[in-house]
Amino acid sequence: MRLLPEAVRRLAAWCAVVLLVSGVGYVGIRLCAELRTAVVPVLLALLGSALLGPFHRRMVKARVNRSVAAAVTCVAVVAVVGGAVYIVVAALIDSGDEIVASLKEAARGLTRHFGAAGTSLDDVASNARELLRKFGGTAASGVISGVSVVGESIAMAVLALLLVFFFLRDSDRAVDGLRAVAPRGTADTVEAMARRAFRAVEGFMRGTTLIAFIDAVCISVGLLVLGVPGAAGLGALVFVGAYIPYLGAFLSGGVAVLVALADRGFVIALWALGVVLAVQVLEGHVLQPLIQSRTVQMHPAVVMLTITAGASVAGILGMLLAVPLTAAAFGVMYELRERYTAPPETGAPGTPSAGGS
């Protein structure tokens, strides 16, 4: 190795580090994928604890027992989430037929203008029986698999709720436990990294929830003013999609514009597109800097790559978890950079400091 130039040795060292880190990361991702029924509830519980932590801390400051405060918080979550799900489902049921009919009409219009010669929705419908007969066994097995997935999802949701209770109740002992398992001499650094990562996730969850609510209200009001059918259901779709930055807003806004195009015509669709774009501009230039100014800021390209990677690993769930986990990783990186690139402290009296006084 001494015969090689210095630049080549540095390049080889960096390549070895990159390969080692990539290998460890790949093995970790594969393990998480294999143990997803245990890993996913833990991650969801961490996100839930980050979102609900301030409410729990206020109750504890009001001299409420920690276990009682955690239990009340979990009950409140179940009530709020259950109520929100009921409102969303009711809105979708009430407006679902209108939305589906509008989307079908939009599909027919696109097929008439851009469909291939000799191909239409009637041709597809005429082949439906043959397709069902051919793939009937696969569909049946898919239904059975879907039932098992639903059962697994319910079990993970219950486990995540229980973990939220324990994380909130025992949050005061988390730092002591973390310092106990940290290698000797690194307890302060590990604690600082954990606090920075959790603050990043906490800020992301609170900010995203508030931004999603504002987006959903603004777009719902705009669609109601324009007379677009299913405005409440489309607003609920916008709220859910806002948890997937950029991509979720694009997809939910696209559905709203298609519904407006099919039901109200080209002019109203343009107005609906203007409403969606105005809300996105408001989010990008006002809400994001104002609400999430204290969280880790990531470039849109990094966010898109993160979402794509999360989708390739765990589908929709990966898309939801990718950005907050990346925010935590960025928080750790920033903490390490601040600690190891900070100017040295002033030494003994009379000794000049490299960073000045």
Side-chain angles (χ1 to χ4, degrees), residues 1 9 34 91 93 116 167 174 200 207 213 219 249 274 312 338 346 351:
M1 292 294 293
R9 292 203 300 270
E34 293 296 329
I93 290 176
F167 287 171
F213 178 76
I219 291 181
S312 64
E338 291 178 1
T346 305
T351 302

Side-chain angles (χ1 to χ4, degrees), residues 137-318:
T138 305
S141 63
V143 170
I144 297 175
S145 176
V147 171
S148 65
V149 169
V150 170
E152 181 180 294
S153 301
I154 294 175
M156 289 193 297
V158 173
L159 179 57
L161 183 63
L162 294 176
L163 289 176
V164 168
F165 170 79
F166 290 119
F167 287 171
L168 292 175
R169 188 193 68 176
D170 301 327
S171 58
D172 58 328
R173 291 183 281 179
V175 174
D176 295 334
L178 188 64
R179 294 180 68 91
V181 300
R184 181 175 300 178
T186 63
D188 292 338
T189 302
V190 172
E191 178 184 348
M193 292 165 54
R195 289 184 181 276
R196 187 69 174 263
F198 191 76
R199 282 199 303 269
V201 176
E202 191 177 45
F204 173 83
M205 291 299 297
R206 292 204 310 264
T208 302
T209 301
L210 182 56
I211 291 172
F213 178 76
I214 295 174
D215 287 355
V217 170
C218 292
I219 291 181
S220 297
V221 171
L223 295 178
L224 284 173
V225 171
L226 295 174
V228 177
L234 293 172
L237 184 63
V238 169
F239 179 83
V240 175
Y243 282 94
I244 304 176
Y246 303 111
L247 184 61
F250 173 77
L251 294 177
S252 57
V255 172
V257 173
L258 284 177
V259 172
L261 175 64
D263 191 82
R264 300 300 308 278
F266 183 73
V267 176
I268 298 298
L270 285 180
W271 278 103
L273 178 62
V275 169
V276 173
L277 292 179
V279 171
Q280 295 307 313
V281 170
L282 175 68
E283 174 186 338
H285 292 82
V286 178
L287 298 180
Q288 288 281 358
L290 183 64
I291 296 176
Q292 292 189 335
S293 59
R294 297 183 180 181
T295 63
V296 177
Q297 298 295 320
M298 293 182 290
H299 193 275
V302 176
V303 174
M304 294 301 297
L305 290 175
T306 301
I307 293 173
T308 304
S312 64
V313 173
I316 297 178
L317 189 60

